[in-house]
Amino acid sequence: MLRRLDLPPVWMALSGLTMLLIALWTPWRFDADLWGWLAMLLGAGAIFLAAPQFLLAATPIMPRNDPDKLLTTGIFGFSRNPIYLGMLLILLGWGLILGAPPALLIPFGFAALIDKRFIREEEGRLLARFPDQAPAYLARVRRWL
């Protein structure tokens, strides 16, 4: 049961909730709503550009599934993990909207957790499944941005 809940969107939601709780107990605030909404919009855009590429390539979008195709074009030409990058930008935007400085630490913890629990394993799967193409792709395109 817990293994099925160990998914990036669940970690993102828990991170966002943690940020909200921190903001509720933080007395000092700053105002950066415009930048927050911009970051969230960019994050959502990255996700909405990446997700259809999985569908069009008929390869699994879910973590821990073996890929059928190596995605290297479109947004995947700029970031190896545009969906995770989008989630990170959404959390950073949420932190800016909340305006609580301690809450802005949580997205960095989210990025470290996603890197350790998902990205490293996914890169290993790419190397195993596409030994001829994946090394060049991993060398050419950065993990986040």
Side-chain angles (χ1 to χ4, degrees), residues 56-78:
L56 291 171
T59 193
I61 194 170
M62 292 297 289
R64 300 193 178 100
N65 288 342
D66 288 329
D68 295 321
K69 303 238 170 61
L70 178 63
L71 302 177
T72 62
T73 60
I75 196 165
F76 288 92
F78 299 100

Side-chain angles (χ1 to χ4, degrees), residues 47-119:
I47 292 168
F48 286 115
L49 286 174
Q53 286 192 252
F54 283 95
L55 298 173
L56 291 171
T59 193
I61 194 170
M62 292 297 289
R64 300 193 178 100
N65 288 342
D66 288 329
D68 295 321
K69 303 238 170 61
L70 178 63
L71 302 177
T72 62
T73 60
I75 196 165
F76 288 92
F78 299 100
S79 171
R80 295 196 311 250
N81 300 286
I83 293 177
Y84 298 147
L85 175 62
M87 291 177 174
L88 176 62
L89 287 170
I90 289 170
L91 286 174
L92 285 170
W94 178 234
L96 291 171
I97 289 167
L98 291 172
L104 286 170
L105 296 174
I106 300 299
F108 297 100
F110 170 81
L113 179 121
I114 292 298
D115 185 71
K116 182 176 179 170
R117 296 189 69 79
F118 298 97
I119 292 175

Side-chain angles (χ1 to χ4, degrees), residues 15 18-30 91-92 94-96 98-109:
S15 296
T18 302
M19 293 169 72
L20 177 61
L21 294 174
I22 290 171
L24 291 174
W25 288 302
T26 301
W28 184 76
R29 295 273 198 285
F30 61 87
L91 286 174
L92 285 170
W94 178 234
L96 291 171
L98 291 172
L104 286 170
L105 296 174
I106 300 299
F108 297 100

